[in-house]
């Protein structure tokens, strides 16, 4: 089912971290007899396995006119399979204390499973039924369709969602990146069972499958498990969509919204993951808008002026288009000043790059933080499947910090000029910002 | 120092055969009253240091709501030995992450770093326990930040505003009625002196718990704790933590909140119910099982089945209970009606579903599935020692002991169906409840 309806019923002001796991990540490549490749980290100290599956293409593979089909299909995968209706399937999963999560983004469909060693075969067989023989029963379709429609409705009055949807549409137009993967109320209402079956076959195919496994299982056991679980998927799916064309005009777009605070998303076209300057760009963004309290944007907008609770930026190198984007919220009366501060930070970075100290700090942070990411079987399974999708070599984890260390001040200066373009900056502001007008 | 727990087997064992997975905690209490807990996990060279203070929004002086959370922000300013922001910068430079959080019953600070940086973290965290310096300028800027935080988290979100109103109506006298972030008009008036007075009194070793989890040896942690936290002065005369208690609740309350920004109307009903008490966790265990039975997975829970699957009254229906709390806590339901179903109809369907459950009793198969999942969750929990550290932190700042935490899984397994049905019948008393409707326009009361 689609599970994002639960609202935060309790207010807890917190940001939590999860904790450590494997010291050295020893990844093996496993090739099954049936031809499925997986990366595996054996970790036998706790009797369970975390399995991550990814299908490249994700919701961007929606057929023309069928926006929302892959999302709805994803929500229906565990709502009945083979001889079980939704309830019988859920009861079977609970009886095994296994967990299956299904999710979809524009570049990939994601399946995260955890199951105990003591009933591994039964859990895998149950998951196989969901992946290979989902039923798409009419009553389940209607129930999940109603949930999706409810989410679409909620998103339409969520200023953060309005900001990102508007920004994406202005940036990418009618390409799937420019429209909501949930679909529109009309497109979702029109989806049929046949559309869902077609959607499944478009995305869930072996030619775009990536597998990461961490936990209490050996390479010898994993091969046959994968053939059983995934062997019956179609060999090929739909062709990948065309590249998206960036079309966002510089300047401010205000979306009026009645709220004491405005939300702003800003940015422009970014840099490809394969670009030789990607690592320099990554280090640069860390210093300018990275996730910690000492970034330039945090310092200028929050620490020095108290204009926001939080501000950050990130690189978004998607498969078919790239952005560099940031986001923050400010009181309506302070948004104009905050926008000016963001512009001037952007301009100074483009003109001057970073200081030696900022570069050194960003490097020590990124290189120090990297090993700390490998924190728990499920997390590591997600990391190693992501490495495969990015096309990284299996020893990437061992060389990644060297690539960060190799970034020089000259690299930073060159990339800052190339990547940070104040004249291209586009802002979408949702709220009633005082003294801020749309430029077009 | 005094070892307060019978965990000698672990603490004194020679360092062969170190368990690969999370073990029972080792606990000490320093002479100045600081409780120290160590959780070992040697799978990765990582450590988390957490300091929990037994102080939260429910301990604030009347009229100063938000001071606990405001102070949490101010703890990132400097001391005699550290410049403002230096702690976070040092953590970043070492590749770590740090943050803090405030709730009604506790305030906590944590860093996650490579295990060999623990000493540096202890030096800095212990420094700000007693030596904070606050300038008027810092306080002024940070007050703007918390007001922006309130704008972002609460005032921009009708659901969050609705939660505030629901709590304020649920508790008649308990300070749980105030929001953690504070009421805006009181936040605006918070001063440097308010923050400093609160700090001087409550940020003290005899009001704190230090939890170190990860790739560490208990003896080493204790040595470092004595070095850095040992010399800190306790606050004298810090008595029993007592708060205004609820009087008998005699009248059911109902709220209707209308906000045009609401896209999806829903209803919530909350009851005041007992929390997990030291040496008496059975009632809370029964309520925990009850919330699972009524509102666990939608496809198999009582409310999910009756409201989402059988009748299609709701797109979402659930029940929730969280037993870790210093004073009486909340049990609740939430129902998001389907398109075309009014809140009145959804509420009537909720009442009917609960009445049917009281008449029909507990399904044996569902009962056993929940018990098995709770047992399995202990296996999965071993994969996340940070989460275990937080479990101990919130429990020990909510009046529970290490023994209570360790006994909890067995208590959950030993609770009977009769106890759960008794809790459902006796504790979910409408006179102790608030029912709230949130919608974009005025709603009709009665089912037509």
């Amino acid at each position: 089912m689609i599970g994002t309806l639960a609202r935060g019923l309790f207010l807890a002001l917190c940001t939590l971290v999860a904790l450590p796991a494997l010291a050295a990540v020893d990844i093996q490549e496993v090739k099954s007899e049936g031809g499925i490749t997986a990366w595996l980290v054996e970790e036998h100290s706790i009797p369970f396995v975390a399995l991550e599956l990814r299908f490249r293409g994700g919701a961007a593979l929606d057929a023309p006119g069928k926006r929302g089909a892959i999302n709805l299909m994803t929500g229906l995968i565990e709502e009945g399979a083979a001889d079980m209706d939704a309830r019988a399937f859920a009861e079977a999963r609970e009886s095994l204390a296994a967990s299956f999560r299904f999710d979809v983004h524009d570049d990939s469909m994601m399946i995260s499973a955890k199951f105990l060693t003591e009933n591994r075969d039964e859990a895998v067989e149950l998951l196989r039924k969901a992946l290979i023989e989902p039923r798409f029963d009419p009553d389940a379709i209607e129930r999940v369709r109603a949930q999706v429609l409810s989410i679409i409705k909620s998103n339409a009055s969520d200023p953060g969602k309005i900001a990102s949807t508007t920004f994406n549409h202005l940036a990418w137009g009618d390409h799937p990146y420019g429209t909501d993967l949930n679909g529109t109320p009309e497109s979702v209402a029109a989806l049929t069972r046949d559309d869902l079956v077609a959607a499944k076959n478009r995305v869930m195919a072996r030619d775009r499958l990536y597998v990461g496994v961490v936990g209490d299982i050996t390479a010898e056991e994993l091969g046959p498990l994968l053939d059983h679980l995934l062997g019956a998927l179609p060999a090929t799916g739909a062709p990948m969509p065309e590249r998206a064309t960036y079309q966002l005009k510089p300047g401010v777009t205000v979306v009026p919204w009645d709220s004491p605070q405005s939300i702003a998303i800003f940015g422009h076209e970014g840099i490809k993951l394969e670009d030789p300057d990607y690592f320099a760009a990554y280090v640069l963004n860390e210093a300018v808008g990275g996730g910690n309290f000492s970034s330039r944007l945090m310092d200028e907008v929050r620490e020095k002026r108290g204009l926001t609770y939080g501000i950050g930026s990130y690189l978004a190198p998607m498969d078919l288009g790239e952005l560099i984007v940031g986001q923050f919220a400010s009181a309506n009366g302070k948004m104009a000043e905050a926008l000016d501060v963001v512009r001037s930070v952007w301009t100074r970075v483009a003109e001057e790059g970073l200081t030696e100290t900022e570069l050194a700090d960003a490097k020590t942070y990124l290189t120090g933080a990297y090993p700390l990411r490998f924190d728990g079987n499920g997390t590591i399974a997600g990391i190693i499947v992501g490495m495969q999708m990015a096309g990284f070599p299996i020893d990437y984890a061992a060389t990644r910090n060297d690539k960060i260390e190799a970034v020089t001040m000259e690299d930073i200066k060159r990339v800052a000029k190339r990547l940070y373009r104040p004249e291209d900056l586009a802002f979408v502001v949702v709220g009633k910002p005082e003294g801020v007008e749309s430029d077009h | 120092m005094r070892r307060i727990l019978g965990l000698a087997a672990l603490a004194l064992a020679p360092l062969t055969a170190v368990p690969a997975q999370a073990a029972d905690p080792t606990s000490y209490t320093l002479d100045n009253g600081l409780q120290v807990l160590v959780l070992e996990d040697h799978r990765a060279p990582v450590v988390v240091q957490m300091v929990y203070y037994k102080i939260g929004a429910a301990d604030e002086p009347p009229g100063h709501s938000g001071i606990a959370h405001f102070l949490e922000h101010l703890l990132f300013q400097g001391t005699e030995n550290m410049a403002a922001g230096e702690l976070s910068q040092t953590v970043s430079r070492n590749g770590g992450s740090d943050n803090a959080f405030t709730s009604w019953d506790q305030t906590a600070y944590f860093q996650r770093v490579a295990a060999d940086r623990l000493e540096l973290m202890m030096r800095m965290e212990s420094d700000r326990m007693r030596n904070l310096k606050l300038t008027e300028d810092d306080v002024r800027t940070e007050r703007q930040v918390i007001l922006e935080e309130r704008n972002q988290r609460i005032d921009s979100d009708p659901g969050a505003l609705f939660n505030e109103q629901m709590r304020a109506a649920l508790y008649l006298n308990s300070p749980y009625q105030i929001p953690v972030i504070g009421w805006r008009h009181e936040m605006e008036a918070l001063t440097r002196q308010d923050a400093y007075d609160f700090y001087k009194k409550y940020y003290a070793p005899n009001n704190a718990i230090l939890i170190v989890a990860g790739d560490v040896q208990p003896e080493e942690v204790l040595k470092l704790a004595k070095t850095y936290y040992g010399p800190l002065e306790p606050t004298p005369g810090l008595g029993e933590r007592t708060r205004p208690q609820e009087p008998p609740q005699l009248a059911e309350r109902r709220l209707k909140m209308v906000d045009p920004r609401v896209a999806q109307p829903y209803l919530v009903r909350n009851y005041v119910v007992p929390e997990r008490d030291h040496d008496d966790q059975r009632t809370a265990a029964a309520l925990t099982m009850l919330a699972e039975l009524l509102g666990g997975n939608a496809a198999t829970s009582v409310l999910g089945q009756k409201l989402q699957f059988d009748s299609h009254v709701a797109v979402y229906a659930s029940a929730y209970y969280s037993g870790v709390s210093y004073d009486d806590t909340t049990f609740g339901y939430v129902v998001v009606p389907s398109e075309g179903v009014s809140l009145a109809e959804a509420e009537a369907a909720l009442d009917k579903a609960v009445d049917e459950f009281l008449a029909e009793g507990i399904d044996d198969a569902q009962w056993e599935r929940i018990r098995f999942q709770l047992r399995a969750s202990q296996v999965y929990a071993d994969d996340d020692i940070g989460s275990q550290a937080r479990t101990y932190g919130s429990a020990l700042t909510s009046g529970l002991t290490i023994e209570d935490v360790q006994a909890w899984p067995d208590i959950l397994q030993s609770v009977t169906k009769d106890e759960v049905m008794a809790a459902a019948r006796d504790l979910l008393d409408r006179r102790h409840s608030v029912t709230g409707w949130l919608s974009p326009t005025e709603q009709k009361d009665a089912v037509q």
Side-chain angles (χ1 to χ4, degrees):
Chain A
M1 66 163 284
I2 302 282
T4 50
L5 270 172
R7 287 155 192 270
L9 291 166
F10 296 99
L11 170 71
L13 306 173
C14 62
T15 311
L16 297 175
V17 290
L19 258 226
L22 313 179
V25 203
D26 183 11
I27 310 172
Q28 318 168 49
E29 185 169 272
V30 175
K31 272 197 169 41
S32 76
E33 277 188 23
I36 296 167
T37 300
W39 286 9
L40 165 67
V41 177
E42 289 189 40
E43 162 54 54
H44 296 285
S45 69
I46 308 175
F48 81 97
V49 169
L51 167 76
E52 286 284 332
L53 306 176
R54 298 276 191 282
F55 294 97
R56 186 189 293 281
L61 288 171
D62 271 334
K66 304 292 182 190
R67 193 59 167 151
I70 288 173
N71 177 63
L72 182 57
M73 180 277 293
T74 304
L76 279 158
I77 286 282
E78 66 169 343
E79 294 280 326
D83 51 344
M84 291 167 287
D85 65 8
R87 179 178 190 166
F89 186 89
E91 288 175 354
R93 187 183 56 68
E94 288 179 1
S95 301
L96 300 167
S99 83
F100 304 149
R101 285 194 299 116
F102 302 86
D103 200 2
V104 68
H105 294 177
D106 264 334
D107 279 340
S108 73
M109 177 180 172
M110 295 163 286
I111 297 162
S112 312
K114 286 184 187 179
F115 38 84
L116 301 172
T117 302
E118 68 178 75
N119 56 30
R120 181 203 296 154
D121 290 347
E122 293 149 278
V124 168
E125 170 57 13
L126 187 65
L127 181 60
R128 188 198 68 79
K129 285 178 175 162
L131 301 182
I132 309 296
E133 305 175 64
R135 284 167 41 142
F136 302 125
D137 287 332
D139 63 328
I141 294 176
E142 292 319 312
R143 192 174 56 249
V144 179
R145 191 200 309 270
Q147 290 166 351
V148 172
L149 290 170
S150 166
I151 288 167
I152 293 173
K153 199 163 138 187
S154 293
N155 288 351
S157 64
D158 176 334
K161 287 285 193 310
I162 294 170
S164 57
T165 309
T166 307
F167 191 94
N168 288 334
H169 190 62
L170 292 170
W172 305 116
D174 292 332
H175 188 277
Y177 286 176
T179 59
D180 181 3
L181 62 78
N182 286 302
T184 64
E186 296 74 30
S187 74
V188 172
L191 293 172
T192 64
R193 185 177 185 282
D194 287 347
D195 292 332
L196 299 173
V197 173
K200 176 182 183 311
N201 290 328
R202 290 178 73 81
V203 63
M204 291 178 67
R206 276 181 288 137
D207 62 346
R208 63 207 58 206
L209 169 67
Y210 300 84
V211 184
V213 180
V214 179
D216 187 20
I217 189 168
T218 63
E220 293 69 38
E221 293 165 323
L222 181 59
L225 182 154
L226 293 175
D227 284 339
H228 178 66
L229 180 67
L230 303 160
L233 286 174
T236 58
M240 290 296 159
E242 302 281 305
R243 265 190 72 79
T245 309
Y246 182 80
Q247 46 199 263
L248 187 45
K249 292 197 190 80
V252 179
T253 303
V254 176
V255 182
W257 189 256
D258 193 9
S259 181
Q261 193 183 39
S262 298
I263 291 182
I265 294 187
F266 58 93
H268 52 60
E269 198 165 21
I271 181 168
K272 286 193 176 81
L273 192 58
E274 304 78 24
D275 194 295
D277 277 334
Y278 185 80
F279 276 92
Y282 189 69
V283 173
L284 193 48
N285 175 69
E286 181 57 38
V288 175
N292 58 68
F293 284 104
S294 40
S295 78
R296 265 206 205 178
L297 285 169
M298 271 298 253
D299 193 44
E300 296 290 336
V301 186
R302 170 172 159 152
E303 301 302 325
K304 286 194 185 149
R305 296 177 179 84
L307 298 174
T308 189
Y309 171 56
I311 180 166
S313 64
Y314 57 95
L315 300 176
M318 300 169 288
D319 283 352
L320 306 167
E322 306 78 39
L323 294 173
I324 175 169
V325 271
Q327 180 167 0
F328 65 97
S330 285
N332 285 324
K334 294 184 175 154
M335 182 49 87
E337 183 186 352
L339 293 180
D340 283 342
V341 177
V342 170
R343 281 193 196 92
S344 74
V345 167
W346 222 254
T347 305
R348 249 189 69 207
V349 171
E351 287 169 358
E352 300 166 17
L354 301 177
T355 66
E356 294 276 2
T357 315
E358 282 175 318
L359 174 58
D361 286 352
K363 281 184 180 181
T364 46
Y365 171 72
L366 290 171
T367 54
Y370 188 65
L372 305 190
R373 282 193 204 170
F374 293 78
D375 69 343
N377 293 356
T379 311
I380 297 171
I383 292 173
I384 63 179
V385 83
M387 282 164 53
Q388 294 173 72
M389 287 194 82
F392 294 155
I394 199 160
D395 66 348
Y396 174 77
T399 63
R400 181 266 193 191
N401 275 355
D402 299 340
K403 295 186 168 73
I404 301 282
E405 292 292 1
V407 173
T408 65
M409 277 301 271
E410 289 76 68
D411 295 333
I412 292 291
K413 278 212 168 59
R414 181 181 68 253
V415 177
K417 199 171 290 295
R418 180 185 153 200
L419 180 64
Y420 287 76
R421 297 187 298 271
E423 68 280 7
D424 287 348
L425 260 185
F427 296 85
V428 168
V429 183
V430 178
K432 289 198 294 188
E434 290 163 27
V436 180
E437 305 286 335
S438 280
D439 290 321
H440 32 73
Chain B
M1 156 229 134
R2 157 177 89 89
R3 175 175 287 139
I4 58 165
L5 256 199
L7 296 170
L10 177 72
L12 301 177
L15 300 178
T16 56
V18 175
Q21 63 202 67
D24 288 340
T26 311
S27 168
Y28 315 93
T29 301
L30 304 189
D31 290 339
N32 60 12
L34 180 73
Q35 186 174 7
V36 183
L37 236 73
V38 184
L39 293 161
E40 292 178 73
D41 180 354
H42 300 285
R43 293 181 301 161
V46 180
V47 69
V48 170
Q49 170 179 242
M50 307 188 81
V51 171
Y52 274 82
Y53 292 95
K54 296 178 192 174
I55 187 77
D59 302 297
E60 292 168 343
H64 294 75
S65 63
I67 191 69
H69 171 252
F70 188 32
L71 180 59
E72 177 225 295
H73 277 237
L74 293 171
L75 258 270
F76 291 84
Q77 302 297 337
T79 67
E80 300 288 335
N81 309 306
M82 282 190 291
E86 186 180 334
L87 191 150
S88 292
Q89 279 162 19
T90 306
V91 172
S92 287
R93 269 192 211 110
N94 283 281
S97 52
D98 73 317
N99 215 324
F101 55 91
T102 307
S103 189
W104 286 274
D105 294 325
Q106 57 276 120
T107 309
Y109 300 81
F110 59 86
Q111 304 87 33
R112 182 167 181 272
V113 291
D116 59 4
R117 318 289 158 90
L118 176 63
E119 179 165 6
L120 177 62
M121 294 302 115
M122 282 200 168
R123 192 167 72 217
M124 301 183 94
E125 190 63 81
S126 62
D127 187 24
R128 68 174 169 175
M129 184 178 283
R130 278 319 221 175
N131 303 323
L132 187 67
K133 270 195 329 192
L134 292 177
T135 70
E136 290 289 351
D137 257 6
D138 296 337
V139 169
R140 205 173 305 119
T141 310
E142 206 56 36
R143 194 166 47 225
Q144 283 310 311
V145 170
I146 57 166
L147 287 165
E148 286 298 342
E149 184 178 358
R150 191 185 154 90
N151 278 336
Q152 183 172 328
R153 289 182 188 269
I154 313 290
D155 298 323
S156 300
D157 179 355
L161 288 166
F162 179 58
N163 287 344
E164 277 190 352
Q165 300 290 312
M166 288 290 290
R167 290 191 75 89
L170 181 64
Y171 292 101
L172 301 176
N173 197 40
S174 161
Y176 285 159
Q177 64 190 197
I178 63 162
V180 169
I181 199 161
W183 299 115
R184 173 179 292 277
H185 64 287
E186 294 183 355
M187 293 167 72
E188 284 166 346
L190 295 175
T191 65
R192 179 190 169 280
Q193 197 60 45
D194 291 333
Y196 202 68
D197 293 346
F198 201 75
Y199 172 75
K200 276 318 246 189
K201 182 167 176 196
Y202 294 115
Y203 280 56
N206 54 331
N207 199 41
I209 298 162
L210 168 67
I211 303 180
V212 176
D215 189 15
V216 291
Q217 298 299 336
E219 297 82 356
E220 185 61 23
V221 173
L222 176 64
K223 214 172 90 194
L224 291 171
K226 279 177 163 172
T227 304
Y228 292 105
Y229 291 91
L232 300 177
E233 286 297 319
T235 295
L238 203 60
E240 173 90 1
R241 194 179 180 193
T242 54
R243 299 165 176 167
Q245 297 295 302
E246 284 296 289
Q249 294 208 349
L250 307 176
E252 173 185 2
R253 279 132 283 157
R254 301 191 63 85
L255 301 184
K256 287 206 271 182
M257 184 168 140
V258 173
D259 187 318
R261 296 174 293 178
V262 173
Q264 176 69 67
Y266 62 92
L267 75 94
V268 172
R269 181 180 298 145
N270 288 332
Y271 298 83
V272 178
V273 292
E275 82 285 12
R276 282 167 63 180
D277 279 319
H278 172 52
D279 281 341
D280 180 13
Q281 303 190 80
R282 289 199 76 81
T283 307
L287 288 166
T288 301
M289 294 299 283
L290 180 63
E292 278 298 316
L293 288 160
L294 290 174
N297 177 3
T300 57
S301 68
V302 171
L303 295 182
Q305 270 295 313
K306 289 181 188 289
L307 302 181
Q308 290 177 243
F309 282 70
D310 295 345
S311 70
H312 306 293
V313 165
V315 289
Y316 180 76
S318 192
Y320 48 85
Y321 169 73
S322 171
V324 177
S325 179
Y326 192 74
D327 291 311
D328 280 352
T329 184
T330 305
F331 186 100
Y333 303 119
V334 56
V335 181
V336 184
S338 299
E339 188 74 37
V341 175
S342 72
L343 288 169
E345 289 164 334
E347 187 179 338
L350 168 68
D351 290 337
K352 181 163 165 278
V354 175
D355 285 346
E356 285 169 3
F357 169 76
L358 289 172
E360 290 162 5
I362 296 168
D363 178 74
D364 289 336
Q366 192 197 1
W367 177 255
E368 287 311 321
R369 287 197 306 272
I370 290 171
R371 284 160 46 88
F372 181 60
Q373 289 181 87
L374 286 168
R375 288 198 296 277
S377 70
Q378 292 177 263
V379 173
Y380 294 126
D382 280 342
D383 198 32
D384 189 353
I385 199 166
S387 152
Q388 294 191 25
R390 293 191 295 275
T391 298
Y392 278 103
S394 8
L396 299 187
T397 46
S398 301
L400 297 170
T401 63
I402 296 171
E403 294 88 338
D404 292 329
V405 175
Q406 290 174 325
W408 178 244
D410 288 340
I411 295 174
L412 280 175
Q413 292 293 323
S414 73
V415 156
T416 65
K417 287 188 248 179
D418 286 346
E419 287 175 292
V420 173
M421 293 311 290
R425 267 191 312 271
D426 303 341
L427 298 176
L428 303 185
D429 181 332
R430 288 282 283 269
R431 291 173 304 169
H432 306 165
S433 79
V434 182
T435 305
W437 291 5
L438 178 64
S439 58
T441 53
E442 206 55 57
Q443 300 287 304
K444 286 207 175 65
D445 286 330
V447 179
Q448 298 298 308

